[in-house]
Amino acid sequence: MSSTHNHSSAIPNELGIQLRAWRDTRGKSQLDLSLDTGISQRQISFIESGRSTPGRHNLLHLADVLDVPFRERNTLLLAAGYAPIYAEGGIDDLEMKSVRDALKRMLAQHEPFPAVVMDRYWNVVMTNDATQRFFNSFIDMAAREKPRNLLHLIFDPAGLRPFIPNWEETAKSLMARVFRESVGRVIDKRTKALIDALLAYPDVDSAWKVSTTADSTPVIPLSFIKDGQVLSFFSLVTTVGTAQTITTQELRIECMFPLDDATEVVYAKLMKQAGMR
């Protein structure tokens, strides 16, 4: 029994358009995709042209090979007439307890340095105590509306921006990161809206959306100035490697580390002043 249902129409439907877009995004020809999946090039062509609809197993196999994020896989399934299978819930849901507990341990282990957990759109969903104390030494974090977005916090002239000595360089590198670290390397509507909001801040150039060779350097420092002293950090980003839900796949843990010994000394004094034991 065939896993593909044929239709007489040859007009590309939403599924065909989406599959073609993902194939183009990944830089694969129909032949490439056929070789990678074992699904015939003719069948892939029929799906893209709207002449056939794949069975759910084959559709998920295509999505897996094309590295389609879970959120967008649900969209593909709906376009093909199937129910979505990837759940999306909040980080506080009961099903997320084991992941949440693991994240809390990671954040606590990173003390006394800042560490945050963010969602796909750079909204901060969890922090350790060091993060609160460090950022509060610059601005009143309680006055910032939740969810607090790390990018808005850095781009906003009323946020951390005045305390970042190399702000333009930092903003450029962060904009490049938005593109580079998007889930599945895809800019969806909400990510585009976030980018547009960042571009609306004063002195932000739309040309910053274009990556350069410098954007691929192994360490991009993030510096802050406090009482005339510069503190320079770099970050390591961790993701959930065995994600089975949209929520877990889109989480990112960002841990900040001092870039040099001088920063570590100044940071320790700053945290002591902030009351960190």
Side-chain angles (χ1 to χ4, degrees):
M1 183 176 178
S2 173
S3 60
T4 302
H5 312 292
N6 292 322
H7 301 288
S8 58
S9 171
I11 301 173
N13 53 21
E14 184 60 31
L15 174 62
I17 293 169
Q18 288 186 34
L19 183 62
R20 170 65 183 271
W22 279 108
R23 187 170 57 74
D24 288 345
T25 298
R26 300 299 182 234
K28 289 182 179 290
S29 66
Q30 289 182 348
L31 179 58
D32 292 333
L33 187 56
S34 173
L35 293 172
D36 290 343
T37 60
I39 298 172
S40 72
Q41 182 179 354
R42 181 172 180 268
Q43 188 171 338
I44 293 170
S45 175
F46 276 17
I47 297 169
E48 291 186 1
S49 67
R51 295 180 64 184
S52 66
T53 301
R56 191 174 75 163
H57 175 78
N58 273 359
L59 180 57
L60 290 173
H61 187 35
L62 288 164
D64 190 50
V65 169
L66 290 171
D67 191 25
V68 179
F70 292 164
R71 183 182 297 276
E72 282 72 24
R73 291 190 195 194
N74 277 349
T75 304
L76 283 172
L77 287 164
L78 286 168
Y82 303 114
I85 63 173
Y86 296 99
E88 178 182 14
I91 195 168
D92 294 323
D93 289 356
L94 181 61
E95 294 78 8
M96 289 288 291
K97 184 181 185 305
S98 59
V99 174
R100 190 169 60 249
D101 289 347
L103 293 172
K104 286 179 181 177
R105 292 189 190 99
M106 289 182 68
L107 295 178
Q109 288 296 320
H110 195 62
E111 298 281 0
F113 302 114
V116 301
V117 179
M118 296 181 291
D119 66 15
R120 176 176 186 163
Y121 306 104
W122 296 68
N123 295 311
V124 176
V125 296
M126 294 174 68
T127 71
N128 62 3
D129 290 339
T131 303
Q132 301 289 340
R133 293 174 185 268
F134 180 63
F135 286 165
N136 270 323
S137 67
F138 298 97
I139 62 173
D140 180 9
M141 290 296 293
R144 303 289 298 190
E145 185 178 350
K146 292 183 178 181
R148 296 177 185 122
N149 184 282
L150 190 62
L151 291 176
H152 280 292
L153 198 60
I154 291 174
F155 276 69
D156 188 353
L160 292 172
R161 177 169 167 174
F163 305 98
I164 300 175
N166 57 338
W167 177 80
E168 184 171 316
E169 177 188 347
T170 299
K172 286 180 182 178
S173 67
L174 285 173
M175 190 72 81
R177 276 189 59 186
V178 174
F179 285 85
R180 188 171 61 250
E181 296 179 6
S182 296
V183 177
R185 305 184 301 282
V186 169
I187 302 299
D188 65 352
K189 290 180 180 179
R190 283 186 61 185
T191 303
K192 185 179 183 305
L194 173 61
I195 292 169
D196 290 342
L198 298 177
L199 290 173
Y201 282 116
D203 304 315
V204 178
D205 192 335
S206 60
W208 294 357
K209 292 190 296 183
V210 181
S211 288
T212 65
T213 305
D215 298 327
S216 344
T217 54
V219 174
I220 299 175
L222 175 60
S223 299
F224 300 89
I225 189 164
K226 179 71 175 178
D227 299 329
Q229 295 181 299
V230 176
L231 298 93
S232 298
F233 298 87
F234 72 96
S235 62
L236 293 181
V237 179
T238 307
T239 58
V240 180
T242 55
Q244 294 297 317
T245 67
I246 293 172
T247 307
T248 50
Q249 186 184 57
E250 295 181 353
L251 289 176
R252 260 198 341 274
I253 307 98
E254 183 137 0
C255 299
M256 293 173 57
F257 294 86
L259 190 60
D260 48 49
D261 292 340
T263 292
E264 190 159 359
V265 171
V266 175
Y267 178 82
K269 292 179 180 177
L270 182 62
M271 290 297 97
K272 187 175 182 180
Q273 293 170 4
M276 176 170 281
R277 295 175 183 177

